[in-house]
Amino acid sequence: MATVELTKENFDQTVSENPFVLIDFWAGWCRPCLQFAPVYEKASEANPDLVFAKVDTEAQQELAAAFQITSIPTLMIVRDQVAIFAQPGALPEAALTDLIGQARSLDMEEVRAKIAALQQDGQAGTAQA
């Protein structure tokens, strides 16, 4: 599958309509971004069932700001509309392959339960304050 260019106009739709989205926040002037691009493209070809997307942080500054992107490249993985990974830095091919495998194996019901528990703890802490 070809890499999808994300903008503020299509971001929500892309993430809500696809159960597994990898997002590369990058810029054309960023040398590590350009070095990571072929690794990312190769991973997209090896995983045609996943959506690989890119956000040009220069053209989409509002989107980059919304996700507090302060260093590029930053890779984010969204599964079932939950951001399960976000980390700056260009990954080598083996690390990206391993990361995709780990993300695939996550039990999203367990992830949602942990998020709900954290939110409940946060609300309890707020009530006590």
Side-chain angles (χ1 to χ4, degrees):
M1 174 178 212
T3 304
V4 176
E5 187 67 32
L6 288 183
T7 65
K8 64 181 182 177
E9 289 79 22
N10 71 355
F11 186 92
D12 289 339
Q13 181 178 0
T14 301
V15 170
S16 65
E17 290 180 357
N18 296 284
F20 199 123
V21 183
L22 292 94
I23 305 165
D24 175 22
F25 290 87
W26 70 286
W29 51 262
C30 165
R31 187 172 302 278
C33 297
L34 299 176
Q35 292 171 332
F36 180 59
V39 172
Y40 192 70
E41 191 63 35
K42 187 173 180 182
S44 76
E45 292 167 6
N47 297 278
D49 58 318
L50 307 181
V51 173
F52 283 73
K54 294 178 86 66
V55 173
D56 180 347
T57 57
E58 288 293 303
Q60 299 297 320
Q61 293 181 14
E62 204 174 308
L63 199 51
F67 287 97
Q68 301 175 349
I69 303 300
T70 58
S71 182
I72 54 173
T74 289
L75 180 66
M76 180 179 288
I77 300 176
V78 179
R79 269 201 61 199
D80 300 335
Q81 301 179 40
V82 176
I84 60 169
F85 178 86
Q87 180 178 305
L91 295 173
E93 184 178 342
L96 180 56
T97 300
D98 182 56
L99 179 62
I100 292 169
Q102 289 181 48
R104 282 186 186 274
S105 67
L106 274 179
D107 178 344
M108 289 308 292
E109 291 302 318
E110 187 178 315
V111 170
R112 278 192 272 288
K114 286 180 181 178
I115 291 170
L118 287 171
Q119 288 174 338
Q120 189 128 22
D121 289 348
Q123 290 173 351
T126 306
Q128 294 171 352

